[in-house]
Amino acid sequence: MSLPNHFELLASDGHARTGKIATPHGVVRTPAFMPCATAGSIKGVHWRDVREAGVDIVLGNTYHLMLRPGAERIAALGGLQRFTGWNGPMLTDSGGFQVMSLSDLRKVGETAVTFRSHIDGARVELSPERSIEVQLLLGADIAMQMDECVRLPAERADIERAMALSLRWGERSLRAFETAPAGHMLFGIVQGGDVPELRQQSARGTVATGFHGYAIGGLAVGEPQAVMLAMIEKVALHLPTDRPRYLMGVGTPEDILEAVRRGVDMFDCVMPTRNGRHGVAFTRFGPINIRNSRHIDDPRPLDEESSWPPARSYSRAYLNHLVRAGETLGAMLLSEINIAYYQSLMSGIRDAISTRSFDAFYEQTRAGWARGDIPPR
Amino acid sequence: MSLPNHFELLASDGHARTGKIATPHGVVRTPAFMPCATAGSIKGVHWRDVREAGVDIVLGNTYHLMLRPGAERIAALGGLQRFTGWNGPMLTDSGGFQVMSLSDLRKVGETAVTFRSHIDGARVELSPERSIEVQLLLGADIAMQMDECVRLPAERADIERAMALSLRWGERSLRAFETAPAGHMLFGIVQGGDVPELRQQSARGTVATGFHGYAIGGLAVGEPQAVMLAMIEKVALHLPTDRPRYLMGVGTPEDILEAVRRGVDMFDCVMPTRNGRHGVAFTRFGPINIRNSRHIDDPRPLDEESSWPPARSYSRAYLNHLVRAGETLGAMLLSEINIAYYQSLMSGIRDAISTRSFDAFYEQTRAGWARGDIPPR
């Protein structure tokens, strides 16, 4: 039996698609980039600016939030959207990925993964059923099945074992999701590392289980971009065209443009805020390391044609100074500038697909990045 | 010969006064609180919010800015107001106080103080003449004479020596300021520690030199509040009523209210942002330590009647979580909430003096602080 479909495909151009997803907290325009509200905030960015930058949906991390402040506490406070004041659509991950990357003494079993909290060392168990329970307590509009993600490079046997486990966990996640309120969605996750046959097997199995949408997991975890793109192409062949497709944890603006070209609808990444905290601004002319001494006396803005006011109004000299002096405002400004750049990229992508001019947009955008930053003054 | 007067006294109520100072970058309503843009930003607060909170004037630190990014660099970029995008009135300190508190291997001589930069260890010399030069390069609307500030408690002989040196440095500062563009101001600084006779001697000497306005320095440096207030009363007797009076580095909301009552017009302090970064919110009901577990499940805002939206809209539970999780947004929100609270206090003070109801305002405000926070939920 097929689950209700909340995704509407509005136009496509080649493999690139644009559409919208109706969630209980509002509409998400796709292709969509979801900034990460990892521990309940988009690091260094006011929620009003997240909204203002054109963000439709944000990602909350089950692992962080279940440990602090706790899923039951957030539920009692009205769910994550109300707790944070974001009040818009929210996707939560299953927690599985962060258990692997952040916790100590983790042990993966058939039933659940057990680990020690990176905050207080407490022993915690996360099963597919508990992950879904937590995500529903958080109030996720879109929840993710629990899966096991393998860092690449890895042995084929390890990739296959994790892929098969993810298929079984997907079925359990779906059963646990049966009690979810109407309108909420559960996405399955295709695993299989960098092995085409395993990707195909995982895609077929996940689609056979049947979810509201499909994610491609286990990429951007150490493999070259070409391998990532080849895996996306392989998986996309097996995904239904009427359901949203989400490439997890990706990525650079270039990764996103390439993945959209191959039929992906949704993305998330910490890159805009993490790189912003490290002094890197994303622009039409590629990433700019504002700490570089070439900017120290430069009165020009990052990009005088940016749609985001701080990218037009603050001088490179001021941003350079703030970053070098370790002033929080530097990280704040670069983080919101990056969030806004990512959103302007997604908006340009959506418009281009709608008008069947994605190829021209693709070439023009890549030409801007290739041109590089303006010459030093 | 008397310097031009840019201060207009509009009303007084007891010793409390309200007025306005005309500066090249705009009008400052007094009593005024100046947030500290120490290294070129109000830590953790967007400039638009500084403006929105009702701030008329900010303070820039000569010591920090001369070391990084450098006064000549800032001058080439149009001055500190343009460099930061603040574009409003700005007062700079002389750098002397930070040399004493932040640098290594400092040596105070008659001509100048020499020290090693806390940033890169470079040997730097700061004389009254260089301090004024730097402040004019920064574009200060109000510059401060160079002085020597002694931390209390201190020996009378040390206090007297520093006070006398400050008088001589005041005269040199004034001569150096003769080339300043019209409309810019130089304030003298009264020293003398906690010794009434030395305070009197310093006030008379400083007024005899003749400045655009007068500061009371060397307080809030370790002495009890009663001593500070007694020194203010002593000094105020000797200051001309037609010139602005600035109490440097003060302080808590209570310090400010008490000092206004004794005739002070201007204040600066890092407290709103520093305490904000440490999880403390200033409110009508006194300071609130939002990290305290009493707030962990509390859906109520900090103060539902606050004029500052985030103090009304975010729950205590969310702020508690952000601070505990070390999320930058927590420090950002509490810093701007505190800046806004200080400004609402100053606005209330000005209105009360204008309507000759300062005593009632004073009692009511103190009653709110004494009442304390709302009971835990």
Side-chain angles (χ1 to χ4, degrees):
Chain A
M1 194 192 72
S2 180
L3 297 172
N5 193 4
H6 304 293
F7 176 62
E8 185 184 350
L9 189 60
L10 295 172
S12 45
D13 188 1
H15 292 293
R17 306 136 46 93
T18 183
K20 56 186 189 185
I21 306 172
T23 85
H25 284 87
V27 169
V28 176
R29 298 163 293 177
T30 67
F33 179 81
M34 304 182 280
C36 296
T38 308
S41 83
I42 311 286
K43 292 191 195 303
V45 185
H46 282 290
W47 282 110
R48 61 175 178 215
D49 293 322
V50 175
R51 244 173 250 120
E52 192 74 25
V55 171
D56 283 346
I57 178 169
V58 302
L59 181 142
N61 280 114
T62 288
Y63 172 83
H64 290 82
L65 296 166
M66 71 183 281
L67 297 181
R68 182 173 58 196
E72 279 73 10
R73 172 166 287 132
I74 290 177
L77 289 159
L80 195 54
Q81 293 92 335
R82 188 164 161 201
F83 181 60
T84 60
W86 156 247
N87 289 325
M90 179 128 39
L91 178 147
T92 52
D93 62 12
S94 71
F97 183 79
Q98 268 81 23
V99 168
M100 307 300 165
S101 56
L102 294 179
S103 69
D104 289 332
L105 297 171
R106 61 189 170 276
K107 203 180 141 211
V108 181
E110 179 66 31
T111 312
V113 48
T114 54
F115 61 94
R116 287 199 185 279
S117 158
H118 75 292
I119 297 169
D120 61 4
R123 195 176 161 285
V124 184
E125 185 175 282
L126 188 64
S127 64
E129 291 76 16
R130 174 61 181 161
S131 171
I132 296 299
E133 182 183 26
V134 167
Q135 294 182 73
L136 291 175
L137 284 167
L138 295 177
D141 297 279
I142 302 176
M144 300 302 298
Q145 74 151 86
M146 188 150 143
D147 62 341
E148 187 189 352
C149 175
V150 175
R151 199 165 287 279
L152 299 176
E155 297 294 322
R156 181 184 166 124
D158 289 333
I159 296 171
E160 184 162 9
R161 188 198 48 72
M163 183 275 287
L165 180 65
S166 297
L167 283 175
R168 296 192 296 278
W169 281 1
E171 288 172 11
R172 283 169 56 191
S173 298
L174 186 65
R175 279 197 300 276
F177 196 77
E178 279 166 9
T179 59
H184 293 255
M185 286 160 260
L186 178 67
F187 282 19
I189 304 178
V190 175
Q191 288 288 353
D194 52 2
V195 184
E197 309 87 85
L198 296 181
R199 284 282 168 188
Q200 177 176 325
Q201 194 180 329
S202 177
R204 286 185 173 161
T206 306
V207 172
T209 302
F211 293 90
H212 295 91
Y214 297 92
I216 309 176
L219 292 178
V221 288
E223 79 288 1
Q225 192 199 43
V227 171
M228 178 179 85
L229 298 179
M231 291 304 115
I232 295 169
E233 288 173 12
K234 186 76 193 172
V235 171
L237 289 174
H238 301 283
L239 297 180
T241 55
D242 65 339
R243 298 283 180 168
R245 300 159 178 182
Y246 161 31
L247 180 59
M248 303 182 78
V250 171
T252 65
E254 193 192 352
D255 287 340
I256 290 173
L257 191 66
E258 295 294 346
V260 164
R261 202 177 185 212
R262 288 162 176 83
V264 174
D265 307 306
M266 300 167 71
F267 303 88
D268 80 283
C269 194
V270 295
M271 204 171 270
T273 47
R274 179 174 290 169
N275 289 22
R277 287 198 300 284
H278 291 99
V280 173
F282 290 100
T283 76
R284 288 183 297 146
F285 309 120
I288 295 176
N289 181 355
I290 200 67
R291 187 188 288 271
N292 192 296
S293 60
R294 68 180 272 179
H295 307 296
I296 202 167
D297 290 308
D298 196 334
R300 295 173 299 177
L302 275 171
D303 179 0
E304 60 195 10
E305 292 178 26
S306 169
S307 59
W308 193 248
R312 294 193 307 265
S313 61
Y314 287 108
S315 67
R316 289 163 179 246
Y318 185 53
L319 295 172
N320 172 281
H321 166 66
L322 292 175
V323 169
R324 286 182 178 224
E327 290 288 284
T328 307
L329 185 60
M332 289 161 60
L333 289 172
L334 292 175
S335 295
E336 67 173 59
I337 284 169
N338 290 346
I339 294 278
Y341 176 72
Y342 267 67
Q343 293 305 321
S344 76
L345 175 66
M346 303 318 289
S347 166
I349 285 173
R350 290 192 297 264
D351 290 349
I353 299 170
S354 294
T355 56
R356 308 293 196 282
S357 56
F358 181 73
D359 282 348
F361 180 85
Y362 173 90
E363 294 300 341
Q364 184 192 336
T365 302
R366 286 178 55 93
W369 294 335
R371 201 200 82 176
D373 193 16
I374 53 177
R377 191 159 171 271
Chain B
M1 193 193 71
S2 181
L3 297 173
N5 194 4
H6 305 294
F7 177 61
E8 185 184 351
L9 189 61
L10 296 172
S12 45
D13 188 1
H15 292 293
R17 308 134 47 90
T18 181
K20 56 186 186 186
I21 307 172
T23 85
H25 284 88
V27 168
V28 177
R29 298 163 293 177
T30 66
F33 179 81
M34 303 182 279
C36 295
T38 309
S41 84
I42 311 286
K43 291 191 195 305
V45 185
H46 282 289
W47 283 110
R48 62 173 178 216
D49 293 322
V50 175
R51 244 172 251 120
E52 192 74 24
V55 172
D56 284 346
I57 178 170
V58 302
L59 180 143
N61 282 113
T62 287
Y63 171 83
H64 290 82
L65 295 166
M66 72 184 281
L67 297 181
R68 183 174 57 195
E72 280 73 10
R73 172 166 287 131
I74 289 177
L77 290 160
L80 195 53
Q81 293 91 335
R82 187 162 161 204
F83 181 60
T84 59
W86 157 246
N87 289 325
M90 177 130 38
L91 178 146
T92 52
D93 63 12
S94 70
F97 182 80
Q98 268 81 20
V99 168
M100 307 301 166
S101 56
L102 294 179
S103 69
D104 289 332
L105 297 172
R106 60 188 172 275
K107 202 180 143 213
V108 181
E110 180 65 31
T111 312
V113 48
T114 53
F115 62 95
R116 287 199 186 279
S117 158
H118 75 292
I119 296 169
D120 61 3
R123 194 176 162 284
V124 184
E125 187 175 281
L126 188 65
S127 64
E129 291 76 16
R130 175 61 181 162
S131 171
I132 296 300
E133 182 183 24
V134 167
Q135 293 182 73
L136 291 175
L137 285 167
L138 296 177
D141 297 279
I142 302 176
M144 301 301 299
Q145 75 152 86
M146 190 150 143
D147 62 339
E148 187 188 353
C149 175
V150 175
R151 196 164 291 277
L152 298 176
E155 297 296 323
R156 181 183 166 122
D158 289 334
I159 296 171
E160 185 161 11
R161 188 199 47 75
M163 183 274 288
L165 180 64
S166 296
L167 283 176
R168 296 193 295 279
W169 281 2
E171 288 172 11
R172 284 170 54 191
S173 298
L174 186 65
R175 279 199 298 277
F177 196 77
E178 280 167 9
T179 58
H184 293 256
M185 286 161 259
L186 179 66
F187 281 19
I189 304 178
V190 176
Q191 288 289 352
D194 51 3
V195 184
E197 310 88 85
L198 297 181
R199 284 281 168 188
Q200 177 175 324
Q201 194 179 329
S202 177
R204 286 183 172 163
T206 306
V207 172
T209 302
F211 293 90
H212 295 91
Y214 296 92
I216 309 175
L219 292 177
V221 289
E223 79 286 0
Q225 192 198 45
V227 172
M228 178 179 85
L229 297 179
M231 292 303 115
I232 295 169
E233 289 172 10
K234 185 77 194 170
V235 171
L237 289 174
H238 301 282
L239 297 181
T241 54
D242 66 340
R243 299 283 179 168
R245 301 160 177 180
Y246 161 32
L247 180 59
M248 302 181 79
V250 171
T252 65
E254 192 191 354
D255 287 340
I256 290 173
L257 191 67
E258 295 294 346
V260 164
R261 202 177 185 212
R262 288 157 176 86
V264 175
D265 307 306
M266 300 166 72
F267 303 88
D268 80 282
C269 195
V270 295
M271 204 171 270
T273 47
R274 180 174 290 169
N275 288 23
R277 288 198 299 284
H278 290 102
V280 173
F282 290 101
T283 76
R284 289 184 296 147
F285 308 120
I288 295 175
N289 180 356
I290 199 66
R291 187 189 287 272
N292 191 296
S293 60
R294 67 181 270 180
H295 306 296
I296 202 167
D297 290 308
D298 196 333
R300 296 174 299 178
L302 275 171
D303 178 2
E304 59 197 10
E305 291 179 27
S306 169
S307 59
W308 194 248
R312 296 193 306 266
S313 61
Y314 287 108
S315 67
R316 290 163 179 245
Y318 185 53
L319 295 172
N320 172 282
H321 166 66
L322 291 176
V323 169
R324 286 180 178 226
E327 291 287 285
T328 307
L329 185 62
M332 289 161 59
L333 289 172
L334 291 174
S335 295
E336 67 173 60
I337 283 169
N338 289 346
I339 294 279
Y341 176 72
Y342 268 67
Q343 294 305 321
S344 76
L345 175 65
M346 303 318 290
S347 167
I349 285 173
R350 291 192 298 264
D351 289 350
I353 300 170
S354 295
T355 56
R356 308 292 197 282
S357 56
F358 182 74
D359 282 349
F361 180 85
Y362 173 91
E363 295 301 340
Q364 183 192 336
T365 302
R366 286 176 56 91
W369 294 335
R371 199 200 83 176
D373 194 16
I374 53 177
R377 190 160 171 270

